[in-house]
Structures are given as structure tokens and as C-alpha cells.
Amino acid sequence: MTYYLGIMSGTSLDGVDIALTDIQSNQTKLIAADFTPMPANLREKVTALIQSGETSLQALGELDHQFGLLYADCINDFLRKHQLKPEQIEAIGCHGQTVWHSPKGQFPFTMQIGDMNLLAAKTGITVVGDLRRKDMAFGGQGAPLVPAFHQAVFFDPHWATVVLNIGGISNVSLLIPEQPVIGFDTGTGNTLLDQWIEKHQGKAYDKNGEWAVSGQVNPDLLAVLLDEDFFQLPGRELFNLAWLENKIQKIAGKTTALLPQDVQATLAEFTVQSIVLALNNIQTTLPCRLLVCGGGAKNQAIMNGLKQALPNWRIQLTTELELDIDYVEAAAFAWLAYRRMHNLPANLPSVTGATSAVSLGAIFPKE
């Protein structure tokens, strides 16, 4: 066994994912995984920072330290739970918490917090972090990085494979034989669904899409949601509640009264249709399969919609291929750590726009 740990906290700020992987000869097997909810005080601080884009050096430094401690506590708890010793782990691949990503300005940069030196010291395990900036140094966007992992574990020469991650935003990796791998955002995923149900029911998310399934798709609302420049000019990253309510105002008086559950059903279908719009551009003679992961894979309204919209596709959860839908991204950062420790390239220039494939990340030794 050659164990690598992957740890990450995403932009949803719901918590910390950990994946324990066995990686040998570039074959990755998920051994165990766990999730720790994000402490409310850290979620509030990071949310305020991201929304305002402003902070003090003191506050930023303290947040960096706090996230280092959080990751260390999560790792140490995980090791105790699974009766593992630090010396059994080759390295931790830690993405850190993104607080800003600006790859297109005159001086491109990305910022993830979480003190990697502190993480190495508190766990006694070598850490690989700062995973995006090497790609950016070679002219890339520093994102997305996960398609390279998808290619390593899901590519099949007999299929045109699309890996779909439905998180806050939906994104895809296109793994089509004899074509360059590409990856991009398709549009909203769970973010509007989560915000809408929180507003109307006080719940953090729509469990299994039960509320969405109880409603009816409103064609007028769906049409105005899809009438968005994002789908012609990719680049927008955020769909928020204010954007949604502005769209609802546009159809006021033009449709039957909107029940909240009908909006939820329409938002689920909006997610489906934005994904389908992206997949319609695929050109291949091979049979197509869609491998779905992320929290949205549990939403039955979304999954049913995908099956109805893509009748000729094989649609599967990544769990069916032995990679749990909740921990694909965390496993990817374990794989990135493996690549760095062996000085192997880990980015895909066809995806990020970098001028060359390079080994990503900085190594923070355990001592």
C-alpha cells in the first residue's frame, strides 16, 4: 500500500473532505473518506472576505493559521478513526481554501489560505500545497486541475466519456479519444437550489431533490434563466439569489402564479439544460457516457432530467466505478500530491492554457 491523503474545502464552504487513496503505478484506489462540517465562525469570516474582497493583513494571516489548524485537526482525527499512523502516509495533497482567483488581469494570481507548514508540523506528514500557481507561471489559468485526474482514472478508448461534477457550479471534463482533453464550467449546479430552499424553508440544501420533485417546471421562467450571456460567452462564475429574483420579475404577469416549489423544480431543470447545452457540442462517433459526481448527483430531479434529456447516453455515478461521488475532488488532490512527489507533470495545457505540462505544487516537508 502506498497511501496519499487528499484534503480540500470548496467554495460552498460546507466543510472539509478527506480522501485516503492507494496510488501505485498511477493506479488510484479510494480506501476511505470522511467529511467534517465547516466551523460556523470560519465560514462567516471567509464568506465576508470573498463577498467584499477586503480584509486586513492581520485578519488574513489569522485566517491562514486557523485553516492550517482546521486541516491538521481533520487529518489527525481521520488517522485516529482509521487506526493509521502518520508514517504510513507518503504525503498530503492540500488544496487550501480559495479566497480569490484572478487569472486574467495584468498580474494574474490565485490565493488559497491554510498554512501548509503548520499542517505538516501538526500531522507529522509531508504536505504538497500551492497547487495552482505553477500552472499560472507557465501562462495557464491555474484551473481546472481535476480533468487531469479524471483522464488518469476514467479514460476509456471505447467511450466518449464526460465527467460531470455538480457542485455549487457544474463543470465537465471531456475525455474523448483522439481529441484534446478539455474542461470547463457549464453553469449553475446546486448554488441557486441551495439559496432558494434556504430562503423559503430555512434548509441548507434540498435533500435528494425532494422539494424540486414536488414542483412543476415553469417554461417561462426556464426560458429567461437560459437567456443569459454565460451560455454564449463562458466566463461568469456566479449565479446568485439577486440574479434569480431579477429573472423572476421579468416574467411577472406573463405566467401563472409561481409556487416556491415550482421555482425549485425549474432551477433543477435549469441545471440540467445548461449541462445539455454544453454536451450538444460534442462531436464523436463513439458511444457516449456521462459519469456524474458531486452533491448534485444525489438530486433526483437533476438525475431524472439528465436521463430524459440524454436518452442515448449511458449515465452512471462515479461510485459505480469505485470512486465515491462525494470524494472525487479530494481524491484528485491526493493524486496531485503523488505526481509532485514523483516530479511528474500534473496539468493539462489543453485545459488550463499553460504553455507546457509541469509538475504542480510546493513540497512542505514534515520536519
Side-chain angles (χ1 to χ4, degrees):
M1 298 287 189
T2 308
Y3 288 151
Y4 286 83
L5 279 170
I7 183 168
M8 70 164 295
S9 50
T11 53
S12 63
L13 296 172
D14 57 344
V16 178
D17 294 327
I18 298 179
L20 175 68
T21 62
D22 178 19
I23 306 178
Q24 300 184 51
S25 300
N26 212 30
Q27 297 297 309
T28 303
K29 182 178 181 181
L30 181 64
I31 304 299
D34 213 343
F35 171 80
T36 301
M38 180 69 67
N41 66 319
L42 291 186
R43 182 171 60 251
E44 291 168 4
K45 289 177 181 178
V46 174
T47 299
L49 171 58
I50 292 172
Q51 289 179 348
S52 69
E54 297 179 353
T55 188
S56 68
L57 290 176
Q58 181 72 26
L60 183 62
E62 290 180 358
L63 264 182
D64 184 54
H65 189 99
Q66 287 177 286
F67 269 89
L69 291 177
L70 172 65
Y71 296 146
D73 288 344
C74 290
I75 291 288
N76 288 330
D77 288 345
F78 183 89
L79 295 178
R80 283 190 291 268
K81 179 178 179 180
H82 295 280
Q83 299 181 330
L84 292 165
K85 297 179 180 179
E87 53 265 30
Q88 291 178 265
I89 311 299
E90 297 291 326
I92 299 167
C94 183
H95 176 264
Q97 178 62 53
T98 297
V99 293
W100 210 259
H101 186 67
S102 180
K104 296 181 179 179
Q106 182 182 359
F107 304 106
F109 74 97
T110 187
M111 182 177 292
Q112 288 76 39
I113 59 174
D115 187 334
M116 302 297 158
N117 287 293
L118 189 61
L119 177 57
K122 293 290 186 181
T123 60
I125 302 170
T126 294
V127 175
V128 176
D130 193 12
L131 288 154
R132 297 190 182 276
R133 292 199 294 177
K134 189 65 168 288
D135 180 85
M136 295 180 72
F138 280 81
Q141 300 285 303
L145 299 182
V146 177
F149 173 68
H150 290 161
Q151 181 188 42
V153 297
F154 294 128
F155 178 81
D156 188 320
H158 302 104
W159 288 90
T161 300
V162 176
V163 184
L164 167 65
N165 175 59
I166 309 175
I169 297 294
S170 297
N171 51 73
V172 291
S173 300
L174 273 54
L175 314 175
I176 303 175
E178 300 183 9
Q179 295 185 27
V181 176
I182 58 174
F184 55 91
D185 292 343
T186 63
T188 187
N190 300 318
T191 184
L192 288 173
L193 290 160
D194 293 347
Q195 291 178 57
W196 188 254
I197 197 169
E198 183 176 13
K199 176 181 178 179
H200 288 274
Q201 295 194 358
K203 297 179 180 178
Y205 65 98
D206 186 1
K207 185 178 180 181
N208 298 325
E210 293 170 0
W211 196 41
V213 170
S214 73
Q216 300 290 324
V217 174
N218 183 285
D220 296 316
L221 178 58
L222 181 61
V224 299
L225 293 176
L226 288 167
D227 183 21
E228 180 57 57
D229 288 344
F230 175 91
F231 302 109
Q232 288 77 43
L233 300 170
R236 276 190 56 177
E237 296 179 359
L238 296 178
F239 294 89
N240 56 43
L241 204 55
W243 177 87
L244 170 61
E245 291 175 339
N246 180 59
K247 293 289 188 179
I248 291 174
Q249 285 298 316
K250 288 187 176 181
I251 63 167
K254 299 179 182 178
T255 186
T256 55
L258 273 175
L259 298 173
Q261 62 266 35
D262 293 342
V263 175
Q264 189 77 350
T266 306
L267 290 175
E269 184 61 19
F270 174 47
T271 293
V272 169
Q273 291 301 321
S274 61
I275 292 165
V276 171
L277 281 171
L279 300 188
N280 283 342
N281 295 321
I282 292 175
Q283 297 182 356
T284 181
T285 58
L286 291 171
C288 296
R289 65 173 182 167
L290 184 66
L291 305 181
V292 189
C293 60
K298 300 174 185 176
N299 187 310
Q300 289 307 304
I302 293 175
M303 294 303 295
N304 290 339
L306 287 171
K307 290 172 183 176
Q308 292 174 7
L310 301 167
N312 297 321
W313 285 62
R314 174 186 285 185
I315 299 178
Q316 298 174 274
L317 301 180
T318 58
T319 304
E320 297 175 49
L321 281 73
E322 301 184 349
L323 200 52
D324 190 301
I325 59 172
D326 289 323
Y327 298 102
V328 174
E329 285 193 288
F333 288 101
W335 180 83
L336 287 168
Y338 164 85
R339 301 289 290 184
R340 182 64 189 92
M341 294 298 288
H342 290 81
N343 202 31
L344 297 169
N347 63 332
L348 291 173
S350 61
V351 173
T352 68
T355 56
S356 63
V358 293
S359 187
L360 301 178
I363 298 173
F364 300 82
K366 59 186 176 182
E367 57 186 20

